[in-house]
Amino acid sequence: MSIPLNRRNLLLGVAASGLVQPAVAAAPDFGPLVKPSWSPEGPQGAAARKGLGFGAAVPSNLLNRSAEFRTLLARDCGLLLGNNEMKMAVVLPEPGRTDFAPADSVVRFARAHGQRLRGHALVWHEALPGWVAPLLAGAGPAKAEDFLRRWAETVMGRYRGLIASWDVVNEVMAGYGPVTRADGLRPSPWLTALGPDYIDLAFRIAHEADPRAALAWNEDSLEHDFPWAEAKRTRVLKRLEAMRAKGVPIRRFGIQAHLVSDQPFDAGKFRRFLREIGQMGLGIEITELDIDDKAYPGDPKARDRAVANFARRFLDVALDEPALLDVVTWGLFDGDTWLNDHPDHRRRDGLRQRPLPFDEAMRPKPFREALIAAFRHAPDHSALRARLRGTA
Ligand code: 9MR
């Protein structure tokens, strides 16, 4: 049935919808958290010996379809998230309808394999279903806040107590594209509806929805050595300091780490950035690691070696930071990468990207070895981890 998208219907639709789902009563049973399935020989095994975690973002359709993929995840990962499964576009496809099936299957798999979970992403300018942008644009701050609260209760409430860390806000700072505001915030329907305090508000609302989850700000384009990236790092630190001073319940900072082979990386600058975040008492997660290989040769062997070398260089700096807790790759094998679909990232020679630890046939690549070696050489993070993780 098609529903006319006028404002009244939207607001009614929200009020009457599964958005108002009573999260406590309706939470299904996702099964017990069993003994971890990961192998001591894999990246999670090497990470665990240093008090660290390793995992990947996964698509639920592949998880449900491929036994080979499930074996890989069970063996190599101590942490999982759905790459799209908890986004609003998937969970709230239309007013009055929720779809939790994709997220539920990731949560069930992780529980059945003793894996921790991340939640991604509560407030983002992308992955909004078509009916929500007009709703936010016409709502006014009070109704928009009400909508955000219901959304948080709906998605965070359903998985309350099961998610180690939640990306409460995602990609809120401009930098890679034009910077149009003095505070550096990126344009977003959330910013338009709620004003610049929407970030703090989102954290407070998220904390009510799942008080045990470690709440994270997840951000892109902070890794490379460009003047605009340095300016973005500075703005991030300033905002983090202000959030800490105001008592905003943030515990984590997520660095996406979509690295690009033809962009410069300055270990010293990146190290200082991590240290400043660590000194604020926040835990740090590498949340979406992959390597766009477009500057590397077509030959797969040479390319895989170059990708592994860059990964190792980056990870050695990241893992040296005491506040670093987890490393997550954006997909686990080259058959499941967003980089071939994006005009900024497609290779000029037309070959497919090889950005992840396993190849398209799910065979391990030098990148996987680089992960294991980096964890082996990392300092022991166990002591600080206990303090920073809390229950997560
Ligand atoms: O990999 C994700 C892709 O399948 C989705 O179409 C897209 C929009 O929802 O999001 C991609 O994941 C992004 C992540 O959520 C946030 N950081 C950038 C990721 C790659 O675009």
Side-chain angles (χ1 to χ4, degrees):
M1 186 185 70
S2 82
I3 307 162
L5 274 187
N6 63 41
R7 180 161 171 254
R8 188 176 141 70
N9 279 355
L10 285 171
L11 294 174
L12 285 176
V14 172
S17 78
L19 250 189
V20 204
Q21 203 184 47
V24 182
D29 180 9
F30 291 106
L33 184 66
V34 304
K35 195 171 155 289
S37 59
W38 44 262
S39 151
E41 316 301 329
Q44 172 58 44
R49 287 190 286 278
K50 297 297 172 64
L52 292 159
F54 172 75
V58 300
S60 55
N61 54 4
L62 193 66
L63 178 72
N64 294 330
R65 202 174 63 225
S66 164
E68 200 185 353
F69 186 55
R70 289 195 293 275
T71 305
L72 225 61
L73 296 179
R75 194 194 56 201
D76 272 20
C77 295
L79 192 161
L80 289 188
L81 73 150
N83 48 12
N84 295 315
E85 283 57 10
M86 290 188 190
K87 290 174 182 172
M88 197 190 284
V90 173
V91 175
L92 304 180
E94 55 196 50
R97 190 161 75 82
T98 52
D99 185 0
F100 288 113
D104 283 1
S105 54
V106 177
V107 171
R108 277 209 182 84
F109 182 89
R111 307 271 308 158
H113 293 83
Q115 293 160 319
R116 288 181 298 122
L117 282 154
R118 302 197 78 247
H120 174 87
L122 189 75
V123 170
W124 191 24
H125 61 283
E126 282 188 40
L128 293 169
W131 61 278
V132 166
L135 181 148
L136 285 176
K143 283 214 168 76
E145 179 175 337
D146 188 45
F147 177 73
L148 173 55
R149 183 164 281 111
R150 286 165 195 243
W151 162 233
E153 280 166 9
T154 300
V155 66
M156 295 183 76
R158 184 176 180 89
Y159 305 109
R160 195 194 329 267
L162 307 180
I163 308 289
S165 63
W166 248 108
D167 291 334
V168 173
V169 296
N170 190 38
E171 302 174 2
V172 292
M173 269 300 176
Y176 174 62
V179 181
T180 54
R181 295 169 49 99
D183 59 12
L185 291 181
R186 180 201 293 264
S188 156
W190 296 104
L191 174 60
T192 308
L194 291 161
D197 289 339
Y198 83 97
I199 297 172
D200 298 357
L201 179 70
F203 275 93
R204 295 193 199 281
I205 286 176
H207 187 58
E208 285 164 27
D210 188 353
R212 278 199 285 156
L215 303 184
W217 166 2
N218 192 43
E219 192 57 60
D220 68 294
S221 309
L222 292 165
E223 303 80 11
H224 286 286
D225 183 26
F226 294 112
W228 62 260
E230 186 65 8
K232 178 165 176 169
R233 289 190 285 269
T234 304
R235 280 198 304 274
V236 163
L237 293 174
K238 202 170 142 211
R239 183 164 279 271
L240 280 175
E241 260 164 27
M243 288 167 81
R244 297 293 276 167
K246 282 185 276 185
V248 175
I250 177 172
R251 284 169 53 193
R252 299 282 167 81
F253 190 77
I255 293 176
Q256 293 188 357
H258 292 292
L259 305 179
V260 186
S261 50
D262 60 3
Q263 297 188 0
F265 175 66
D266 183 312
K269 286 184 191 158
F270 190 60
R271 181 186 296 276
R272 278 195 295 281
F273 177 61
L274 299 183
R275 194 73 291 272
E276 296 224 25
I277 299 172
Q279 274 164 350
M280 291 183 212
L282 296 167
I284 302 172
E285 303 178 52
I286 301 299
T287 51
E288 305 187 13
L289 177 63
D290 57 16
I291 294 171
D292 169 335
D293 66 21
K294 64 170 170 267
Y296 298 149
D299 170 62
K301 266 211 163 89
R303 197 153 28 126
D304 290 353
R305 180 46 55 206
V307 164
N309 287 346
F310 191 5
R312 181 68 198 274
R313 234 175 101 216
F314 175 80
L315 287 168
D316 280 350
V317 180
L319 298 181
D320 211 27
E321 165 52 46
L324 200 290
L325 298 172
D326 294 316
V327 175
V328 178
T329 52
W330 203 245
L332 198 58
F333 78 114
D334 295 339
D336 173 36
T337 176
W338 64 292
L339 291 167
N340 296 315
D341 308 326
H342 199 288
D344 289 355
H345 296 292
R346 247 173 254 137
R347 282 181 63 93
R348 282 175 283 274
D349 57 13
L351 294 172
R352 290 170 63 77
Q353 290 266 357
R354 301 175 66 88
L356 289 163
F358 289 81
D359 71 9
E360 295 210 4
M362 298 192 201
R363 287 175 304 225
K365 292 163 52 191
F367 187 171
R368 179 175 181 268
E369 290 311 309
L371 276 162
I372 295 172
F375 286 127
R376 279 206 191 115
H377 285 85
D380 190 350
H381 286 55
S382 308
L384 196 61
R385 181 187 77 152
R387 185 161 70 71
L388 283 174
R389 270 207 211 285
T391 53

